[in-house]
């Protein structure tokens, strides 16, 4: 799951809600996700709108806290994608260890 979607899902929001709040087309955010845009390559308005969206419930939210959370999700997303690719290519050996 893309970091943006994970961030929104954690708070029971979705891209449509964010698009409406930012006054942009839903397809704009969909393209961010479909292109697997890095957190650090997202436009500043996306981050500012995320902060604005959650500020009512999380008054201490700021650019640093949002970027930190998105970065953690991005690291997990990258790991998940790499593991998926390994499995598809047959280079993954299941060692029987579960999460």
């Amino acid at each position: 799951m893309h970091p943006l979607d994970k961030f929104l899902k954690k708070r029971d929001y979705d891209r449509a809600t964010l698009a409406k709040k930012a006054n942009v087309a839903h397809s704009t955010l969909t393209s961010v996700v479909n292109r697997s845009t890095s957190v650090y390559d997202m436009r500043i308005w996306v981050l500012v709108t995320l902060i604005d969206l959650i500020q009512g419930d999380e008054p201490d939210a700021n650019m640093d806290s949002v970027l930190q959370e998105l970065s953690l999700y991005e690291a997990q997303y990258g790991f998940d994608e790499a593991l998926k690719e390994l499995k598809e290519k047959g280079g993954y050996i299941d060692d029987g260890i579960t999460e």
Side-chain angles (χ1 to χ4, degrees), residues 4-5 7-9 11-27 29-30 45-46 48-54 57:
L4 179 61
D5 287 335
F7 184 92
L8 292 168
K9 184 177 180 177
R11 292 161 176 85
D12 294 324
Y13 290 116
D14 57 17
R15 280 184 247 153
T17 306
L18 182 61
K20 185 175 180 177
K21 182 81 172 172
N23 198 27
V24 299
H26 182 272
S27 60
L29 295 173
T30 298
W45 65 262
V46 175
V48 170
T49 306
L50 283 173
I51 294 166
D52 190 41
L53 184 66
I54 66 172
D57 296 323

Side-chain angles (χ1 to χ4, degrees), residues 13-96:
Y13 290 116
D14 57 17
R15 280 184 247 153
T17 306
L18 182 61
K20 185 175 180 177
K21 182 81 172 172
N23 198 27
V24 299
H26 182 272
S27 60
T28 301
L29 295 173
T30 298
S31 104
V32 166
V33 172
N34 288 346
R35 289 189 325 241
S36 296
T37 302
S38 169
V39 168
Y40 294 100
D41 291 333
M42 283 195 285
R43 302 280 189 225
I44 193 76
W45 65 262
V46 175
L47 300 171
V48 170
T49 306
L50 283 173
I51 294 166
D52 190 41
L53 184 66
I54 66 172
Q55 203 115 55
D57 296 323
E58 300 173 43
D60 293 336
N62 58 45
M63 188 71 71
D64 287 337
S65 65
V66 169
L67 270 173
Q68 182 178 14
E69 185 176 339
L70 287 167
S71 295
L72 289 171
Y73 294 153
E74 184 167 83
Q76 180 64 47
Y77 177 71
F79 175 80
D80 291 346
E81 289 299 304
L83 186 59
K84 179 180 167 187
E85 186 177 327
L86 268 176
K87 286 180 179 180
E88 288 172 356
K89 291 181 177 179
Y92 172 76
I93 299 172
D94 187 353
D95 58 9

